[in-house]
Amino acid sequence: MNERTTPPDADVAGQDPTRPEGAPRTGEPLISVRGVDKFFGDFQALKGIDLDIHRGEVVALIGASGSGKSTLCRCLNRLETITAGEITIDGERLPEEGRELTRLRADVGMVFQSFNLFPHLKAIDNVTLGPRKVRGVPKAEADRQAMELLERVGLADKANSLPTALSGGQQQRVAIARALAMKPKALLFDEPTSALDPEVINEVLDVMAELAKAGMTMLVVTHEMGFARHVCDRVVYMDAGEIVEEGEPEQFFTAPRSDRAKAFLSKILAH
Ligand SMILES: Nc1ncnc2c1ncn2[C@@H]1O[C@H](COP(=O)(O)OP(=O)(O)OP(=O)(O)O)[C@@H](O)[C@H]1O
Ligand SMILES: [Mg+2]
């Protein structure tokens, strides 16, 4: 994908332009998770999760299959209810339901493994649907913003294509543009490249790295350890519904503290 030379987009919500690189994070976290438990019947999928994500922070969420990564993401924008604990987004507690929930949910965009584009809508119409229907943005304005976003993900020339005419990597980039169109304060990515052919994984990771550089607040569930290590500010490692360890990527990958993280890393980095 093309090297981008444009300066970071000042329009990205959730960024913290005042914090010098490497300076400690201060102030209210954008996303705060406190003592969150999640049960499916008798099965406890999340066990006392505490997690803060600050403005502009990019956090990799990693762990074995079934450890609760997707469940945590889904709880963060209330696609799942929580059994106990509290989640706040930008200081506001996520309500159980109602119009307030719709508003707060739109603050946190989500990008899934399966792109979930509407197959009968052109790329641009997939991007404008949310702003028009949920935010009431007039068509001309929504189209203009969508073109800017498609440009940003390198797909301005595909605006009028149907999803079936796009590669998996292109569809996922449309899905990212669609999430950005709602002007979210943070983005959650749940294995955004897992369904992609190897040769298009990087074009999606490049777009994500650009967003990270522009200051977007992101939580990324990924098996792409290079991305976790080189783009993310922090790695959070989950096992069996718990956060077992978290730390700076370099420290986590070179000197994990817990036996569980050591065992996990030796398995995934062995080949
Ligand atoms: N709707 C559900 N009903 C019952 N159990 C569920 C449900 N959703 C998830 N679980 C269980 O919760 C646990 C955590 O699942 P989750 O999908 O969050 O794991 P994950 O870390 O995302 O795994 P993967 O890497 O395979 O995507 C699993 O044991 C799963 O079977
Ligand atoms: Mg999952």
Side-chain angles (χ1 to χ4, degrees):
M1 158 158 256
N2 295 343
E3 185 74 14
R4 293 207 178 90
T5 50
T6 45
D9 187 350
D11 200 28
V12 172
Q15 68 181 355
D16 178 6
T18 55
R19 189 183 65 87
E21 209 172 325
R25 313 266 167 182
T26 52
E28 277 272 288
L30 181 61
I31 297 175
S32 170
V33 180
R34 282 288 169 278
V36 164
D37 292 336
K38 171 66 184 175
F39 282 84
F40 293 109
D42 291 339
F43 176 76
Q44 188 168 8
L46 296 178
K47 301 172 184 165
I49 299 290
D50 290 318
L51 179 66
D52 282 340
I53 302 177
H54 287 84
R55 267 166 239 284
E57 201 175 14
V58 181
V59 176
L61 182 57
I62 66 174
S65 179
S67 57
K69 307 178 297 293
S70 294
T71 304
L72 178 55
C73 285
R74 293 170 60 78
C75 287
L76 283 178
N77 67 355
R78 272 288 197 274
L79 292 171
E80 295 284 358
T81 56
I82 56 178
T83 314
E86 185 174 86
I87 296 175
T88 58
I89 309 288
D90 209 3
E92 293 188 79
R93 192 184 167 144
L94 268 184
E96 294 295 325
E97 54 192 25
R99 197 183 293 169
E100 274 302 275
L101 175 59
T102 309
R103 185 176 65 78
L104 285 178
R105 187 182 270 158
D107 282 346
V108 180
M110 191 141 176
V111 175
F112 301 91
Q113 175 175 337
S114 53
F115 333 115
N116 298 342
L117 297 177
F118 288 105
H120 60 292
L121 293 182
K122 295 186 289 189
I124 187 166
D125 296 332
N126 266 284
V127 177
T128 58
L129 191 66
R132 291 180 63 195
K133 298 278 179 229
V134 179
R135 302 244 199 252
V137 179
K139 180 172 178 352
E141 174 62 11
D143 280 350
R144 194 189 58 73
Q145 288 175 5
M147 279 312 297
E148 270 178 30
L149 291 169
L150 287 171
E151 176 111 22
R152 187 156 169 198
V153 300
L155 288 175
D157 57 331
K158 300 289 184 190
N160 292 310
S161 300
L162 287 171
T164 44
L166 300 175
S167 72
Q170 290 169 336
Q171 289 184 60
Q172 191 60 299
R173 286 187 280 146
V174 173
I176 292 172
R178 176 180 58 180
L180 290 170
M182 296 298 280
K183 299 195 184 340
K185 292 178 178 170
L187 280 181
L188 310 176
F189 293 86
D190 192 359
E191 302 200 24
T193 59
S194 298
L196 299 178
D197 292 334
E199 67 271 19
V200 300
I201 286 176
N202 278 338
E203 69 191 41
V204 173
L205 294 178
D206 283 350
V207 166
M208 293 167 62
E210 285 293 327
L211 286 176
K213 217 161 81 185
M216 179 54 84
T217 307
M218 295 164 45
L219 178 67
V220 185
V221 178
T222 187
H223 297 296
E224 297 293 331
M225 293 302 141
F227 184 87
R229 190 162 181 168
H230 301 296
V231 177
C232 296
D233 300 305
R234 182 153 55 105
V235 174
V236 171
Y237 166 66
M238 282 184 77
D239 186 43
E242 295 173 306
I243 293 179
V244 175
E245 182 167 342
E246 56 182 302
E248 293 206 336
E250 221 34 52
Q251 177 269 316
F252 178 80
F253 285 108
T254 54
R257 289 183 292 265
S258 62
D259 289 340
R260 280 195 270 180
K262 281 178 199 162
F264 175 75
L265 285 176
S266 68
K267 251 184 248 162
I268 57 163
L269 299 176
H271 45 84

